[in-house]
Amino acid sequence: MDTILKPIMIAVAWIMVKIHDVLALFLGKESSWAWVLAIVGLTIVVRVLLIPLFFRQIKASRGMQLVQPELKKLQEKYKGRKDPASQQAMQQEMMALYRRHGTNPFASCLPLLLQMPIFFALFRVLYNVKPIAEGTYAGGGIGPLTQEVAAQVQEADLFGAHLSDTFMRALGTGATATVWITIVLIVAMSLSQFFTMRQLTMKNMPESATSSDNPMMRTQKIMMYVFPLIFAVTGVNFQIGVLIYWLVSNLWTAGQQFYTIRRMPAPGSAAERAMQERIRAKRIRKGLPPETDEEIAAREAAEAEAQARRGQRVQPVRKSRQRPGEAGQGGEASQESPVHEPERGKDGLTAAEREEKRYRARMEKRQQAKKKKKKRS
């Protein structure tokens, strides 16, 4: 395995050592935290490089959401037809459907797949720290990870748990600190994975895609519970340093996803409705009237343009909406698409209405204060 991963292992070791050298200027050359933070730095470097792929992942994910209704019709069309010709025809139509929508069911896995070689390279680097430090490693070292440097890594620890130790090895040697730190890291890693997937599934999927009949939704829910369990089971075989990388990567994903969902929510999702509510509340706080149709169209056009620049699917700008009471052709009121009512609190008001009420109260107080001041003068 080392032969196949050797170039990546050298790159991983080089990044770690260089980050450590910078941190050592402030924390000291022998500091364990310098090596812990070097692994954190390695994770950040990798995730920054993967940002373009992250946006492709979003595009693919949203494309899959949009294609679900047509995909369901296609599956209904070939339901019960198990002969090879029908199955082949269905696969061909599915691929044509994906091409038409510019998506791919495997594109959303790209960031994870591209991280796996780096993940295993880090695993092998930490695995070989001991033989390198002892001078028994066949290659003598891994790039800048020489015998002297490897000895420092071997002594580095996180609250008493050596970065190159594993849970299984610690059970045999009685290293209690390693056992407990591993458990904490695995639990944190599994929980962060679960909440990241839950955030994506519950907040950033259109209502049309959240139906229990939707195979994509069922798959997402299964993955949401199965993946953390898989990571928890396999995590006992990985070194502390690898678990740190994994946890930091999960936290990065959670933060990146939170920002994306908040700023660029999927059309028709709960996150999009929340964003619209925030925009409305912000305008009220500033004393501005609700957005006009022209302003809505301009904002949506700007958002579509921004999404296009990021390589995402451009959503069509919605047509001008008629206000209640306005009539369409022939004197009949135009039919609007159903509007999802925002959540109301115990006072029966939405967040925006509550903010508007507070704003009006403040304005009244200001007017009263001005009147009193005028009378005094």
Side-chain angles (χ1 to χ4, degrees), residues 37-69:
L37 294 176
I39 295 174
V40 173
L42 168 68
T43 314
I44 293 171
V45 169
V46 171
R47 294 311 304 264
V48 167
L49 293 175
L50 290 176
I51 285 176
L53 286 176
F54 175 74
F55 285 113
R56 285 192 181 184
Q57 180 188 24
I58 293 174
K59 178 186 175 183
S61 178
R62 291 186 180 176
M64 288 299 296
Q65 291 169 6
L66 294 170
V67 85
Q68 284 306 305

Side-chain angles (χ1 to χ4, degrees), residues 243-265:
L243 295 178
I244 292 171
Y245 174 92
W246 208 335
L247 175 60
V248 174
S249 183
N250 281 355
L251 294 176
W252 177 284
T253 301
Q256 190 171 248
Q257 192 168 271
F258 175 80
Y259 174 84
T260 305
I261 290 174
R262 185 176 175 84
R263 300 295 296 272
M264 297 174 288

Side-chain angles (χ1 to χ4, degrees), residues 25-161:
L25 298 174
F26 306 96
L27 301 175
K29 194 175 181 180
E30 305 295 329
S31 172
S32 294
W33 279 104
W35 285 110
V36 172
L37 294 176
I39 295 174
V40 173
L42 168 68
T43 314
I44 293 171
V45 169
V46 171
R47 294 311 304 264
V48 167
L49 293 175
L50 290 176
I51 285 176
L53 286 176
F54 175 74
F55 285 113
R56 285 192 181 184
Q57 180 188 24
I58 293 174
K59 178 186 175 183
S61 178
R62 291 186 180 176
M64 288 299 296
Q65 291 169 6
L66 294 170
V67 85
Q68 284 306 305
E70 294 181 59
L71 192 60
K72 191 174 179 181
K73 290 179 183 177
L74 187 61
Q75 290 169 342
E76 287 292 330
K77 176 183 174 182
Y78 288 95
K79 188 176 181 180
R81 296 163 64 177
K82 303 294 183 182
D83 58 286
S86 297
Q87 291 295 309
Q88 184 179 359
M90 185 176 75
Q91 289 297 324
Q92 289 174 347
E93 289 189 42
M94 284 173 63
M95 294 309 295
L97 188 62
Y98 292 143
R99 283 195 298 270
R100 191 161 64 248
H101 284 268
T103 187
N104 188 313
F106 302 106
S108 59
C109 303
L110 268 178
L112 179 62
L113 292 175
L114 288 178
Q115 277 193 90
M116 294 312 291
I118 299 167
F119 178 82
F120 285 113
L122 177 61
F123 173 83
R124 294 303 299 175
V125 167
L126 293 176
Y127 180 84
N128 290 313
V129 160
K130 185 177 180 180
I132 292 172
E134 293 173 350
T136 58
Y137 184 68
I142 302 174
L145 192 66
T146 60
Q147 185 174 359
E148 181 186 354
V149 176
Q152 294 177 21
V153 179
Q154 191 176 11
E155 293 301 318
D157 65 85
L158 176 66
F159 302 117

Side-chain angles (χ1 to χ4, degrees), residues 347-363:
D347 55 1
L349 301 175
T350 65
E353 289 170 346
R354 205 174 293 114
E355 187 65 37
E356 185 175 5
K357 186 178 178 181
R358 285 196 289 265
Y359 169 75
R360 287 176 178 172
R362 287 197 301 269
M363 294 301 292

Side-chain angles (χ1 to χ4, degrees), residues 201-354:
T201 305
M202 299 301 177
K203 289 189 176 182
N204 204 40
M205 290 189 77
E207 286 194 357
S208 59
T210 56
S211 170
S212 57
D213 297 332
N214 186 347
M216 182 182 174
M217 187 63 181
R218 289 199 300 268
T219 304
Q220 289 274 11
K221 284 186 175 180
I222 292 170
M223 289 168 60
M224 185 168 67
Y225 291 99
V226 172
F227 271 24
L229 289 176
I230 293 173
F231 295 151
V233 172
T234 57
V236 296
N237 298 305
F238 297 120
Q239 300 98 333
I240 297 293
V242 175
L243 295 178
I244 292 171
Y245 174 92
W246 208 335
L247 175 60
V248 174
S249 183
N250 281 355
L251 294 176
W252 177 284
T253 301
Q256 190 171 248
Q257 192 168 271
F258 175 80
Y259 174 84
T260 305
I261 290 174
R262 185 176 175 84
R263 300 295 296 272
M264 297 174 288
S269 64
E272 186 191 40
R273 295 195 295 274
M275 184 183 74
Q276 291 171 348
E277 190 72 11
R278 287 195 304 272
I279 292 171
R280 183 185 171 198
K282 186 177 180 180
R283 291 181 68 86
I284 291 171
R285 283 197 301 271
K286 291 182 177 180
L288 299 173
E291 285 184 300
T292 64
D293 292 336
E294 291 76 13
E295 288 172 332
I296 292 171
R299 175 170 58 79
E300 290 179 347
E303 289 171 0
E305 185 180 350
Q307 287 183 0
R309 284 199 300 268
R310 294 185 180 96
Q312 298 182 29
R313 183 181 179 86
V314 180
Q315 299 298 327
V317 178
R318 279 174 276 184
K319 293 181 180 179
S320 176
R321 289 177 274 184
Q322 286 186 313
R323 293 180 176 80
E326 291 183 346
Q329 291 181 351
E332 294 181 0
S334 64
Q335 293 183 350
E336 296 183 1
S337 57
V339 178
H340 299 281
E341 284 291 330
E343 292 184 6
R344 296 182 179 273
K346 293 180 180 179
D347 55 1
L349 301 175
T350 65
E353 289 170 346
R354 205 174 293 114

Side-chain angles (χ1 to χ4, degrees), residues 175-209:
T176 310
T178 301
V179 171
W180 284 109
I181 292 296
T182 303
I183 291 172
V184 170
L185 287 173
I186 287 175
V187 170
M189 185 179 67
S190 300
L191 287 176
S192 61
Q193 181 74 29
F194 174 80
F195 285 114
T196 299
M197 297 186 74
R198 189 176 186 277
Q199 182 186 46
L200 181 65
T201 305
M202 299 301 177
K203 289 189 176 182
N204 204 40
M205 290 189 77
E207 286 194 357
S208 59

